[in-house]
Amino acid sequence: MNRRDFLLQLPGWTGLGVRGLSPALFPALSAASTAASRAPGAATPPGPPAVAFFYGAEPPLDELRLFDWVVLEPGHAIAARADVAASLAPHGLAFAYVSLGEVHPGRDYAESLPPAWVRRRNEAWGSWVIDQTAPGWTEFFLDRVVAPLWKQGFRAFFLDTLDSYQLVATSDAERQAQAAALRHTLGALVQRFPGVRLMLNRGFELVDAELGRHVVAVAAESLYQRYDAATGRYEAVPPADRRWLLDRFANMRRLGLPGIAIDYVPPGARDLARETARRIATDGLIPWVADPALETLGVGSVEVVPRKVLLLHDPVDAEHLRLKQRSAHLYGALPLEYLGLVPEYREVTAAPPPGALTGRYAGVVLHLDDVSMGDAAQDLIARARRENVPVVVLGQVPLELLRTLGAELVDGRLQAPVRVQRAAGTPPAEVLPRVLPDETSLLNAGPGARVWLWAEDGAGQRMDAAAITPWGGYALPGFGVYGLPGGGGARWAIDPIEFLRQALRLGDDPMPDVTTCVGRRAFFVHFDGDGWLNRCNLPGTPTAGEYLVREYLMRYRVPVTVSLIVGEVSEQGVYGSQAGLAQEWARKALALPHAQAGSHTWSHPFHWGEAAGLDTAGRELQYGVHLQLPGYEFDLRTETAGSKAWIEERLCPPGKPVEMLLWSGNCNPPAEALRLAREAGMGTINGGGGPLTRGGPLTRARPTLTALWPMGISKQREYQVYAPASNEMDYTGDWQPPYTGYEHVVDTFVMTDLPRRLKPVNIYFHPYLVTQPAGAKALHEVFRWALAQPLHPVTARRYHDTVHAWRSAAVGRLLEGGWRLASGRPLAQWRQPVAAPAPSVAGSDGLAGWNEHGGLRYLHLTAEDARIRPGPAVARLVDANAEIVAFERLPGGGWRARLRGHVPAEARIEVPPGWQVAGSGTLRRQGSEVLVRSETTALEVQCRPG
């Protein structure tokens, strides 16, 4: 195999298209695969592969998917994930760092080194320089260093310290002998491990045409910026040293080997890192600029845009069952999520995360309920400030902490009467708070601050209560979330989304989205199994299950997740004598093609923590901890995997699995229950609403963001996805007459779409809703409203999987302009402010089009790895009610796509002058757009110029 063919097999090398959908789909478009391979006809990514080096503990594997070649310290990487190399494949190639010229005493094989092999100690790095000519060293290196990593799945290695022999060789003859021994070891390596791929750190003199066949690139440190380990100083590289290194790279280029320049700058010097990376790229080299320990996400041809935010909160129980009660979760998480950021919950007293914060975190948000816990945050916040990571302080704000951040605090208080003012030009909010004099202090936000709210007295004294500052921002108690008098709930005194956007210094980068699919708002239906056998207050008194199937599930043929409680429908359950009737209608429901099978557990735990012996309810439960079933002893595995197996065996049609588990009762399961459900192959949903609404759901009568909740909640290593909307319990005051309340869920749907799309449309209820005529009528009205909207039907499982993919999606800025986006399926919707330059379907890779709504541009991706760039205007997909399952770029700039959904498919296409559209359905022109409609759930569209 020649070198060009070899390189063409490597992820990210010039000549490969973007990762997209299977080429087997085209040109016939006869299959509906969603396999993630590179899209046929996609534009070739310019330049060489994107490369990253990360040696720190807990490598950020999600973000490292943005790179084609990733060099890892294998000890740390394997400790984080045993199959780390496989996890980055096939999209990226993982290189294991291996030192050939030196051995550090901390390596597990170091004690087995014969003392005679060690020539001297490298004092700068604390390692031993190895005599490459020592008999047995080659075999030792291959057996003890490389072979274990090969067994772990690594197929590529970054070979370091190739020039360390220069520290001990004192004559030309000795240098030649050491170099020859190194070549011998490298030759033995490629012979023993067929297909191995090598990246060299320097070792220029070792590379010849033969070795070059197995080398993908040669790296070297310090082209423009370097770090002196002896003095601990960062400094510019002298021009003479740079010229020498550029000459070496030029020699490698003549052998067909690309060069990688690794430069070092302080972690907080992001602008210098970007400037240095651009200079390196201008020299025709692959850049990586980071800290000298290579423990930060630096700047290369891709710069990661951090999505994680450290959300610091008061201590909670080990199971995190009480995290949902903390203000950090109740109020702090949703605004961050809307901005595309992932809250990483961390107790304020916990050990700080390892490594640098720069490049990994978009910010640190301190949101306390107990102001006395503020001291515990001092060190981490000081560290964030040193690294230029924004800090936001909300909730109970420690004033002394603000002083350390640059605010000015003097003794005294405001005097009555106190007046609160909102600065002109700041966004409106839900309330202008009131404050008593004894709740004030004399506080100046400090130099460079932009004050949003302040309180002042008649003497001109002032308290800056909410401000954007050079280091981030803060809002004092009552000036972020304001508690209404008399226990009337809470309101935001600032616009929390815009406040966090400015305080965290966020740009116009694309962010993943879970509310929308192919430009239309996502829509799904699910119901818990409670009351399946309850009798309806209707003629004939049918059971709720029967009436629900006949009047709703058979009429409204949209995806619906049907869940049953084993303890309510089984012969051994609480209604054993009616099990036959319960199961008859359950089977009819699950036999519907648009019904997704779900479990609502075995015994319907009402308080999961107490049922599992991990928490106490703190009150008497009306129905007990769970349904009292004859002979049943509570067991988490039975509630999860056991209920799935029973429903599949007794109720599901052959071949239809139970895909979802819907949490019951207080919807606060422990991490172990989440794990068991996941390992049984189920997605899970529910939680949010109920106690989290703190006074009722969002309606026109209660127009506040405090009535909404986040996407979900972290519990140890698991994550619980919440239902996006409340069920009828919240809208009827815990199921109280007159039972009409659920019709107000439409208020919630409307108010969470504009001015900002905060949630998908989720019709969520219990079967007993239809037992009362008013409830039955309300449910019809809700379905009719939803079906009259331009929505995109999905399943509950699809939503669950999208949320999980959202949490791990990664964003990177391309050095040459534009973005690289990486995500797992089924996530394919991203969004960015309309102020950002509009991308081009022709200039991008993995983009089918976009739609605009509420000040955001919703980008429809067709690949797990996409590049978004501006370019010429071509036909674009505006929106659709069906998923893009295949997408192909055509010669001449056109494209064709296949879509598949759950209802008769339709798509809107923006068509520039001179373009033609063909499709498998009817076409209707509407101005510059063409609406394509199919009579089936599948649709094919083709757009061409001319």
Side-chain angles (χ1 to χ4, degrees), residues 1 3 6-7 9-10 69 93-98 141-142 145-147 149-151 153-159 185-200 210-217:
M1 179 185 298
R3 174 169 177 76
F6 174 65
L7 285 173
Q9 293 183 355
L10 303 182
W69 296 348
L93 182 62
F95 288 78
Y97 170 91
V98 170
F141 177 74
L142 299 182
V145 181
V146 178
L149 299 175
W150 187 269
K151 186 176 180 180
F154 283 98
R155 296 296 181 266
F157 299 90
F158 175 66
L159 301 178
T185 299
L186 294 172
L189 190 156
V190 299
Q191 185 173 13
R192 177 166 169 182
F193 302 100
V196 68
R197 300 165 185 181
L198 305 178
M199 183 188 296
L200 309 184
E210 175 61 26
L211 179 61
R213 294 175 56 244
H214 306 282
V215 176
V216 301

Side-chain angles (χ1 to χ4, degrees), residues 256-481:
L257 291 172
I260 302 171
I262 308 167
D263 275 22
Y264 300 126
V265 301
R270 213 61 176 173
D271 289 339
L272 177 59
R274 295 182 185 113
E275 176 192 350
T276 304
R278 292 189 191 98
R279 296 178 72 183
I280 293 171
T282 300
D283 290 326
L285 302 169
I286 302 170
W288 185 250
V289 186
D291 68 296
L294 295 176
E295 294 182 345
T296 59
L297 282 170
V299 178
S301 54
V302 173
E303 178 187 359
V304 171
V305 177
R307 291 187 58 229
K308 292 184 175 66
V309 170
L310 279 173
L311 184 52
L312 306 180
H313 58 85
D314 304 78
V316 294
D317 60 295
E319 291 286 335
H320 289 185
L321 295 175
R322 301 195 176 187
L323 175 58
K324 65 186 294 184
Q325 302 168 6
R326 297 299 185 202
S327 294
H329 178 66
L330 295 174
Y331 306 117
L334 182 139
L336 292 170
E337 291 175 347
Y338 178 81
L339 293 168
L341 304 176
V342 182
E344 185 175 298
Y345 294 97
R346 186 174 290 264
E347 291 184 356
V348 70
T349 55
L357 304 177
T358 299
R360 294 190 71 163
Y361 293 101
V364 177
V365 176
L366 178 67
H367 202 140
L368 295 177
D369 293 307
D370 182 353
V371 70
S372 69
M373 302 302 302
D375 289 345
Q378 290 275 11
D379 290 346
L380 181 55
I381 287 178
R383 179 174 150 199
R385 291 291 302 115
R386 289 193 299 271
E387 297 183 29
N388 199 28
V389 173
V391 173
V392 179
V393 187
L394 300 171
Q396 296 299 315
V397 177
L399 294 180
E400 285 301 320
L401 175 62
L402 294 186
R403 192 201 300 269
T404 67
L405 290 170
E408 300 168 1
L409 182 67
V410 298
D411 293 337
R413 298 186 184 279
L414 301 180
Q415 303 300 309
V418 176
R419 185 173 63 164
V420 175
Q421 300 266 36
R422 189 182 307 277
T426 57
E430 298 171 356
V431 69
L432 188 66
R434 298 178 179 180
V435 61
L436 298 174
D438 59 2
E439 298 170 337
T440 66
S441 57
L442 303 183
L443 178 69
N444 183 291
R450 286 175 286 118
V451 178
W452 282 33
L453 289 172
W454 72 89
E456 62 184 7
D457 62 16
Q461 298 184 107
R462 174 166 157 157
M463 176 179 73
D464 292 341
I468 304 296
T469 65
W471 46 265
Y474 71 89
L476 296 180
F479 291 85
V481 175

